[in-house]
Structures are given as structure tokens and as C-alpha cells.
Amino acid sequence: MKALGLLSGGLDSSLAVKMVMDQGIEVVAVKFTSAFCQCDTGGCNHAAELAGKLGIEFVTVAKGQEYLDIVREPKYGRGSGMNPCLDCRIFMLRKAKEIAEDIGASFIFTGEVLGQRPMSQRRVAMDLVEKEAGLEGKLVRPLSAQLLPPTEAEREGWLDREQLLAISGRGRKPQIKLAEEKGIVDYPCPAGGCLLTTKEFSAKLADHLAHSDRLDAADVAVLKVGRHFRIDGLKVVIGRDERENARLRDLAKERFIVIEPTSVPGPTCLCDAAAGEDVIVKAASIVARYSDGGGGAVALKIVSSSGQRAVEAEPMANGEIDSLRIAADKAPLTIEME
Ligand code: SF4
């Protein structure tokens, strides 16, 4: 008997894997990654490490352009940020179903806990996701199983329902106690992980989608770096430190004009390649404001596909900068699904 478990590396999915293994079932773990993962919170590495410690097969699946198209236009709305959690879970479970068929796994399970998350872990949402993924009555949630109808795995006797649990709600105490019993330690913070749930990133993404029909990996890479501004409908990005400046230079390619100070230290700026002189002048003025020019004029170079030229710019006033900045409090409203 083999089962496929979705393993994020967080506490709940780690416990679910251990619970299924403890019933004598061979587990293969799958971890989905995307351009919106904040892997420095440890989830990605932790999932691989845990799988290694448990001696189980571990597969990673990158959610590519197909997923970005869903993020751009989710069927079931978004959470409190730009997170399309229902569509995201449907997407992952559909992929998991394909993998399960390929490897001959008899069932799929997740670490979901009934009522833990406002959008995706309400009963009605869990049922919807299961149905849309083509897994009706077949998806096991070991941590909440006793609060849900028996799945095929329980009805067929592959899993002993009595050994599954009845955890619900947002509290973590039962899971922490169970982790101690099962020897699971060093799990990452449950809040870490998805940029789509953060306010600052959601504001940038909402602005991007309000101005563009395209969302690809290069767009997301730029959205993850720097201060973002919108000038006459065009995007301007300013690096916040040397690491971001270097990253922006890497990302410029043919989509952006690069503006950098030459007379004093200061930020790298990407300005939409479609920008006319009016926008370039304003972007240069923002660069001057964030440069170490002591409030005076700053010499800059402007590099585009047509070559390089030198200009001088006066720093933009703070009030005007604020009016052009893409900020969380200016983001279009998103749908909160409760
Ligand atoms: S928080 Fe992010 S990764 Fe998790 S289900 Fe929602 S959209 Fe997907």
C-alpha cells in the first residue's frame, strides 16, 4: 500500500506524513514550489530534510506558467491578499492526482486542519476543492479525519479511522503535543511561506494586474524586488540596497530602461521600456531623490536598447514620490472569501 502526501515542511503536513507512515503505509511526499515561495523561511529545505530523516521518497514540483495564469485570474477569488488559495489547492491536488496515478499510490493525503484557515480550510471550501480536483471521497486529511465523512481509504480498511484524529480550529496545541509524541522537531513557523498573502507584495501584484494582461516568471521576479512606482501607467522600480540593485540589473533585459547615478552612490532604477521622455525624466528625478546627492542635482546614465546617454536630475519632492508609489493602502480591493 502506497500513499502520496503533500508535504509543505510545516508542522501539520509533517504530522500527517508521520501518521500515515505509522499505519504501515509507504509514503511518497510531494512538495510544490512557486515563484511566490519565500524559501528562506525554511519550508522547502525542511520538507526535503524531513523526508530524508523519515527515509521516504521526496518529489518537488514547480508550479510554473500554468499556475501564474491561475494567479492572474482565479476562478474562486482571493483571500485577504492576492492569494487564490482555493484555485491553488485545486491546482496542486490535480497535479498530485496525476503523480499518484503514475507511482501507483492508492490515496492522497494532506495536513489540512478543518477550520484552521479562513479561506481554504472551511468545510465547504474543502469539499469544493476535493470535488474540483477529482478526488471526491478520496482525499484523506489525517488530522481532521474523524470530523469528516470516511474516505475510500478508511472504508476499504487501508487506513484505520480510529488512529486518525479530530483536530479543528486555529489553535496549535494538539499538533505541538502530537509532534512531541512523534519526535517531530524544528518545524518552520506556520505563517511563513507564501508571498501572495503579504500586504506589500499583494499591492504590487494587484497594481501589475490592473495594468497588464501578462503575468510570467520575469514579471514576478521584478515584483519581488525594490520600491515600485507607477508613472503615467508605466512601471518604475528602485532598488533599496546593493543586493537589490544587482538583482534589478540582472532582470532589466529588454523590458526595461536602466537608470543609475554616476556622480554619487545611489540606487539602480528600472523604467518600463515603453517610457517616453516625460516618464524617464520623472524616474530619473526619483533616482536622484534616493541617491546620496545631498539634495542637489545628480548626474545619471540612462541605458536602453538604443544605447547610453547622460542626464542630470533634481531630486523629486517627497509628496510627489508618495503620490506615485505603489503601496498596500492604494491596492484595489480583493475578495475575501469567508
Ligand atoms: S497561501 Fe499561497 S501557497 Fe498556500 S494555498 Fe494559498 S495561494 Fe497557495
Side-chain angles (χ1 to χ4, degrees):
M1 177 62 58
K2 193 190 273 188
L4 180 70
L6 271 63
L7 179 63
S8 68
L11 175 57
D12 295 340
S13 60
S14 303
L15 286 172
V17 165
K18 194 71 176 60
M19 285 173 69
V20 173
M21 288 179 73
D22 287 351
Q23 293 212 24
I25 290 167
E26 180 188 344
V27 171
V28 175
V30 59
K31 160 92 189 169
F32 288 90
T33 62
S34 84
F36 308 106
C37 289
Q38 301 182 82
C39 293
D40 49 3
T41 58
C44 291
N45 291 341
H46 191 81
E49 277 167 25
L50 181 76
K53 272 188 208 157
L54 295 173
I56 59 175
E57 195 182 326
F58 178 68
V59 184
T60 27
V61 176
K63 297 188 280 185
Q65 185 59 48
E66 203 184 336
Y67 178 62
L68 294 180
D69 293 340
I70 290 169
V71 171
R72 189 166 55 80
E73 215 170 348
K75 183 173 172 188
Y76 292 108
R78 304 181 191 276
S80 54
M82 291 296 279
N83 46 311
C85 290
L86 300 190
D87 295 84
C88 178
R89 295 204 70 79
I90 292 165
F91 175 84
M92 291 191 287
L93 287 167
R94 282 182 182 159
K95 294 283 171 207
K97 187 168 178 253
E98 288 170 18
I99 297 169
E101 283 162 10
D102 282 352
I103 64 171
S106 301
F107 66 93
I108 297 170
F109 65 94
T110 72
E112 289 167 289
V113 170
L114 187 63
Q116 188 183 74
R117 293 179 196 270
M119 185 174 187
S120 61
Q121 294 183 15
R122 293 165 302 135
R123 176 66 197 277
V124 62
M126 287 163 90
D127 288 350
L128 171 80
V129 166
E130 198 175 295
K131 189 169 173 221
E132 283 273 340
L135 291 169
E136 220 168 346
K138 294 184 174 177
L139 181 62
V140 183
R141 282 97 167 192
L143 295 169
S144 294
Q146 291 187 9
L147 301 172
L148 300 166
T151 57
E152 180 185 50
E154 294 150 83
R155 290 194 308 272
E156 294 291 328
W158 306 333
L159 274 177
D160 176 8
R161 185 171 170 87
E162 291 305 306
Q163 292 183 50
L164 303 178
L165 296 174
I167 299 175
S168 67
R170 299 175 79 94
R172 312 285 293 168
K173 279 189 186 152
Q175 289 96 312
I176 290 167
K177 186 165 173 284
L178 188 65
E180 282 167 14
E181 287 165 19
K182 297 212 174 274
I184 291 178
V185 289
D186 293 338
Y187 41 85
C189 162
C194 180
L195 268 177
L196 294 167
T197 62
T198 66
K199 268 190 181 173
E200 191 197 357
F201 185 81
S202 290
K204 292 177 186 175
L205 178 59
D207 168 83
H208 174 85
L209 295 179
H211 290 89
S212 173
D213 290 337
R214 183 196 66 208
L215 181 67
D216 62 17
D219 292 320
V220 177
V222 171
L223 288 169
K224 286 161 86 168
V225 187
R227 299 179 176 93
H228 286 228
F229 300 86
R230 184 69 61 186
I231 304 176
D232 295 344
L234 297 173
K235 172 62 73 68
V236 170
V237 185
I238 305 272
R240 287 175 287 205
D241 54 33
E242 204 28 67
R243 189 186 59 84
E244 288 198 342
N245 292 342
R247 182 73 181 131
L248 289 176
R249 282 192 289 274
D250 281 351
L251 293 171
K253 305 224 166 53
E254 68 280 359
R255 289 186 184 175
F256 292 98
I257 295 163
V258 180
I259 305 174
E260 289 181 313
T262 50
S263 55
V264 292
T268 296
C269 166
L270 299 190
C271 178
D272 193 311
E277 199 56 24
D278 284 2
V279 173
I280 292 173
V281 165
K282 285 186 183 170
S285 183
I286 298 176
V287 176
R289 159 65 183 79
Y290 285 109
S291 297
D292 299 338
V298 171
L300 306 134
K301 64 175 178 184
I302 297 176
V303 183
S304 68
S305 56
S306 54
Q308 180 173 326
R309 63 191 167 105
V311 296
E312 213 176 68
E314 293 287 340
M316 185 179 277
N318 285 346
E320 188 175 1
I321 289 202
D322 282 345
S323 71
L324 300 172
R325 191 193 306 274
I326 298 164
D329 54 2
K330 296 182 196 165
L333 285 178
T334 56
I335 305 159
E336 176 98 44
M337 291 191 64
E338 288 294 349

